[in-house]
Amino acid sequence: MFTVAFIIFFILLLLGVPIAFAMGLGSVIAIFTSSLNINPVLVAHKLFSGVDSFSMMAIPFFMLSGELMERGGISKRIVDLAHSLVGHITGGLGMVDILTSVIFAGISGSAAADTAACGSMLIGPMKKRGYPSGLAAVIQACAGSLGPIIPPSLTMIIYCSLTNTSIGEVFMAGVIPGILIGLSLMFVTYFYARKYKIRSEHRATLKEIGTALRASVLALVMPLIIVGGIVGGVFTATEAGAVACVYAFIVGFFVYRGFTLKDIPQIICKAAGMTGMSLLIVATAAVFSWLVAYVKLPQTIVAFLTSITKSKIIIMMLLVLFLLIVGMFIETLSATIIVAPILFPVMAQYGINPIQFALVMVIVLVYAGVTPPVGGVLYITMGIAEVKMKDVLGFLGPYLIAVLAVIFLTIMIPQLSTFIPNLIWH
């Protein structure tokens, strides 16, 4: 039955059917054509129960807060601050892009939102400064993908709701590896800038840095409120999303005056559309995940892996390889929902730290999703940069190697992911 569902799912993906409908149709057809006499009402039940979670309510709140921030002018002020700090370094504008994405990742939690907000402001200027269009697109795609890694993170919220893992601990686990990835992307950008002889920007004076810092202070306070509130137990991740919406509205409307009341319906409609598609993916993936559990696929994988090796390190490497393949063909959110119930028992069987595993899984799926054929974030930046796939592939490899190096370090040194959670909660 699961084989039928997977084959139909994969065929529909190749035909270009949206991921939610591909999963849903594959699962429904498999259930209705099986000889196990499964009650069709189960499908409706699983669709509902898949989104019937308090944690899932965080999705519409963070989607709306992201739209309010983008329209409210918060993004531009973060760009100005990043420019004053690193713009003078060789490859400075590319580094401005990366640093902006690091800061913005602490606000929105969505790779697509980060990429669209920062890319629309920085890809054009990078092209004018001499960056090849394909390189500009790759820099933004890799930098924007930090959104689900540095807290808050919609992907982490969904993973934790599926596995009953602490959202706060997984959030904080992403801080150090996320910063390391940002630095590694800057390192690669520096050498590309030297290769193409891209001149740096002027060095900002202390006065200019101070001006940029004052202008962006309200934007910088936002991640402190969101993450600090969750870590301090003041509110849950869902409540943090609501707080983020209120804060983004107040700052964007009353302080920065980036939008008017007439813009509110458009902002809400755009956020609602993104929320609807995300929750539809979650709902249909719940049916698919039920099929996975029904045929006892996790137990089969555990038995197979234990027959190969007892080493946690080797198992983690094998899981990274598996997740890379999955992430190349399935969008990050969907892949998380599908594989989390499968691999969580494997992690438990081998005694792998659940916080470390959660982070490694999210990073791998996020950056596997930058590559073709899915490459959702990459397609966004390609559209902004007006380039084709052949123009970006030559630049993508070194950036992905840099990210894989951080993943390897996170596997070999678990403290990179567990130090901050242990410091706060244990």
Side-chain angles (χ1 to χ4, degrees):
M1 180 171 61
F2 173 74
T3 304
V4 173
F6 183 79
I7 291 173
I8 295 173
F9 168 58
F10 192 71
I11 291 173
L12 292 174
L13 274 185
L14 293 178
L15 293 175
V17 176
I19 187 83
F21 298 106
M23 277 192 295
L25 285 173
S27 303
V28 168
I29 293 172
I31 289 173
F32 285 179
T33 57
S34 73
S35 58
L36 299 176
N37 195 28
I38 298 173
N39 191 333
V41 175
L42 177 74
V43 175
H45 172 70
K46 291 300 177 184
L47 286 171
F48 176 77
S49 62
V51 295
D52 184 24
S53 168
F54 182 72
S55 299
M56 294 296 178
M57 290 176 62
I59 295 177
F61 286 128
F62 278 114
M63 290 292 188
L64 180 57
S65 68
E67 288 300 315
L68 289 170
M69 285 182 288
E70 182 179 347
R71 295 291 292 270
I74 291 177
S75 306
K76 182 181 183 303
R77 285 161 176 82
I78 294 175
V79 170
D80 292 341
L81 175 62
H83 198 285
S84 69
L85 294 175
V86 298
H88 62 281
I89 305 172
T90 300
L93 196 53
M95 294 187 187
V96 168
D97 193 345
I98 296 166
L99 182 57
T100 300
S101 295
V102 169
I103 299 172
F104 206 79
I107 299 176
S108 76
S110 167
D114 290 5
T115 300
C118 300
S120 60
M121 289 184 287
L122 289 168
I123 287 179
M126 277 195 281
K127 290 169 63 177
K128 291 179 181 178
R129 285 289 182 178
Y131 288 78
S133 297
L135 176 59
V138 168
I139 291 174
Q140 181 55 71
C142 292
S145 295
L146 286 165
I149 298 168
I150 296 175
S153 165
L154 296 178
T155 305
M156 288 179 181
I157 290 172
I158 290 174
Y159 174 89
C160 292
S161 68
L162 292 171
T163 59
N164 292 320
T165 308
S166 168
I167 293 177
E169 290 189 54
V170 176
F171 269 13
M172 299 314 296
V175 173
I176 295 176
I179 292 173
L180 289 177
I181 291 174
L183 291 174
S184 70
L185 298 179
M186 289 184 178
F187 182 77
V188 177
T189 301
Y190 173 81
F191 282 97
Y192 268 129
R194 291 193 61 180
K195 177 181 178 180
Y196 290 99
K197 296 180 172 58
I198 300 170
R199 57 191 176 90
S200 58
E201 310 295 305
H202 80 280
R203 181 184 292 272
T205 63
L206 288 176
K207 182 179 179 181
E208 289 173 330
I209 294 175
T211 301
L213 185 59
R214 285 192 299 274
S216 61
V217 67
L218 291 176
L220 297 177
V221 166
M222 190 169 181
L224 297 179
I225 293 174
I226 296 172
V227 179
I230 295 172
V231 172
V234 179
F235 39 68
T236 65
T238 301
E239 292 163 346
V243 171
C245 287
V246 174
Y247 186 87
F249 176 80
I250 292 173
V251 173
F253 184 80
F254 292 105
V255 181
Y256 294 157
R257 301 185 182 277
F259 55 85
T260 64
L261 289 177
K262 292 182 179 180
D263 298 320
I264 298 298
Q266 183 182 3
I267 293 172
I268 292 176
C269 286
K270 188 173 180 181
M274 295 171 64
T275 299
M277 181 51 69
S278 298
L279 290 178
L280 183 60
I281 291 172
V282 173
T284 54
V287 183
F288 196 86
S289 298
W290 177 84
L291 284 178
V292 168
Y294 188 85
V295 300
K296 298 182 178 179
L297 184 60
Q299 293 88 329
T300 303
I301 293 176
V302 169
F304 172 71
L305 291 176
T306 51
S307 67
I308 296 176
T309 179
K310 302 291 184 182
S311 170
K312 288 197 293 187
I313 299 297
I314 295 177
I315 286 297
M316 288 282 279
M317 295 297 185
L318 290 174
L319 292 180
V320 165
L321 180 61
F322 170 71
L323 291 169
L324 282 172
I325 296 171
V326 170
M328 288 176 64
F329 293 95
I330 304 176
E331 183 267 337
T332 302
L333 194 63
S334 308
T336 302
I337 298 167
I338 293 171
V339 302
I342 298 175
L343 299 186
F344 194 76
V346 179
M347 176 273 299
Q349 179 75 22
Y350 277 85
I352 299 171
N353 186 295
I355 305 301
Q356 178 196 19
F357 176 77
L359 182 67
V360 169
M361 176 177 159
V362 170
I363 296 175
V364 174
L365 288 178
V366 165
Y367 278 97
V370 176
T371 65
V374 174
V377 174
L378 187 60
Y379 289 135
I380 293 174
T381 61
M382 286 167 55
I384 297 173
E386 299 178 339
V387 293
K388 297 181 179 179
M389 185 61 71
K390 63 181 178 64
D391 299 315
V392 303
L393 289 180
F395 299 106
L396 190 58
Y399 285 97
L400 294 180
I401 290 172
V403 174
L404 285 173
V406 176
I407 293 172
F408 179 75
L409 283 175
T410 306
I411 292 174
M412 300 303 295
I413 310 174
Q415 290 79 8
L416 290 177
S417 56
T418 61
F419 175 73
I420 296 181
N422 288 341
L423 190 65
I424 297 173
W425 282 281
H426 303 287

